[in-house]
Amino acid sequence: MQAPAVAEIKTLDDLKGLKMRFFGLGANVMQKLGVSTQLPQAGEIFQALQLGTIDATEFSMPVMDLTLGFQGHGAAQRDDA
């Protein structure tokens, strides 16, 4: 899991205050760790990342997230970063 425009997540404390797209039971767990979970529509994820509406996303399985470009830099990089 990596936040495209935020510092790399290395410890649980790094999750506190993060705005992240997450859903279901995983969202409940992330909230307990201090993450503000949100659920923008799939077609709005890149724009939400670029505008800073969310800092990170968990969309599908890691292999799918990577294939779609949701990890690292590139299209998910914020314009102001």
Side-chain angles (χ1 to χ4, degrees), residues 7 10 13 16 19 30 33 40 43 51-52 60-62 65 71-72 79-80:
K10 295 181 180 179
D13 284 338
K16 291 183 180 152
K19 298 175 292 185
M30 295 305 270
L33 295 172
L51 295 174
S60 184
M61 299 177 292
D65 289 353
Q71 218 164 5
D79 293 330
D80 64 352

Side-chain angles (χ1 to χ4, degrees), residues 14-60:
D14 295 339
L15 293 171
K16 291 183 180 152
L18 196 67
K19 298 175 292 185
M20 187 173 192
R21 183 193 189 275
F22 226 102
F23 60 95
L25 181 59
N28 294 340
V29 172
M30 295 305 270
Q31 288 170 355
K32 292 194 182 287
L33 295 172
V35 174
S36 171
T37 60
Q38 302 176 29
L39 193 56
Q41 300 276 337
E44 299 171 349
I45 295 173
F46 277 103
Q47 183 178 15
L49 286 164
Q50 290 172 331
L51 295 174
T53 306
I54 58 175
D55 300 313
T57 185
E58 187 274 343
F59 180 70
S60 184

Side-chain angles (χ1 to χ4, degrees), residues 62-81:
V63 70
M64 290 297 295
D65 289 353
L66 238 163
T67 301
L68 294 170
F70 290 134
Q71 218 164 5
H73 299 283
Q77 181 70 34
R78 270 193 213 158
D79 293 330
D80 64 352

